[in-house]
Amino acid sequence: PLLAADCVVIDARRRLLVVRRKHPPCKGGLALPGGFVEIGETVEDAARRELLEETGVKAGKLTLIGVYSDPRRDPRGHSVSVAFLTRVRSATPRAGDDAADALWVTDWRSLPLAFDHAKILSDAASMLRR
């Protein structure tokens, strides 16, 4: 399996940062910022890099949400994602790299997301309630 890292980013106003995918699969769909880990890179560094590349936002402290390994989670093939929660005070996202857009969403609890990102977000929301 390929190794990936994803970020759930929440700001001080409790908004969620999402990207609109520029490329297939799920082109045009909303997703959490993230991507594949490069050789020699930690999953934490990959999460920070992908977030910065796709949104221009710098991650704060990373808290592990979980590991997501369903072989069907990505239509391109078996991949495993290590997902992190990070909080930022405020930031102005700008789309870059694989993102066609990067935006803050206020009403995110039932947001349709690509891949298994709704499950990741649900797990993160449980963490936020604690």
Side-chain angles (χ1 to χ4, degrees):
L2 297 174
L3 183 59
D6 292 305
C7 276
V8 173
V9 183
I10 302 292
D11 74 357
R13 294 171 50 192
R14 299 196 58 87
R15 297 180 299 174
L16 173 71
L17 181 60
V18 295
V19 296
R20 187 166 308 282
R21 291 186 50 83
K22 188 188 290 186
H23 306 291
C26 308
K27 181 179 179 180
L30 297 177
L32 299 172
F36 294 109
V37 178
E38 295 178 354
I39 298 294
E41 186 176 44
T42 68
V43 290
E44 294 86 354
D45 287 344
R48 290 178 186 285
R49 175 184 51 77
E50 287 287 345
L51 176 60
L52 188 61
E53 286 177 359
E54 291 184 352
T55 70
V57 173
K58 289 186 179 181
K61 176 186 171 196
L62 295 175
T63 302
L64 179 66
I65 300 168
V67 177
Y68 299 83
S69 62
D70 184 331
R72 298 174 309 262
R73 69 177 300 275
D74 188 327
R76 295 169 290 193
H78 191 180
S79 70
V80 175
S81 177
V82 181
F84 295 96
L85 171 65
T86 188
R87 295 178 181 159
V88 298
R89 286 194 181 118
S90 66
T92 303
R94 57 169 174 68
D97 196 31
D98 295 330
D101 195 7
L103 59 145
W104 290 109
V105 177
T106 303
D107 187 18
W108 49 265
R109 299 216 185 270
S110 60
L111 194 64
L113 295 173
F115 308 109
D116 60 353
H117 291 185
K119 169 67 173 142
I120 295 170
L121 185 55
S122 174
D123 292 348
S126 293
M127 291 174 65
L128 290 167
R129 284 192 292 270
R130 289 185 219 143

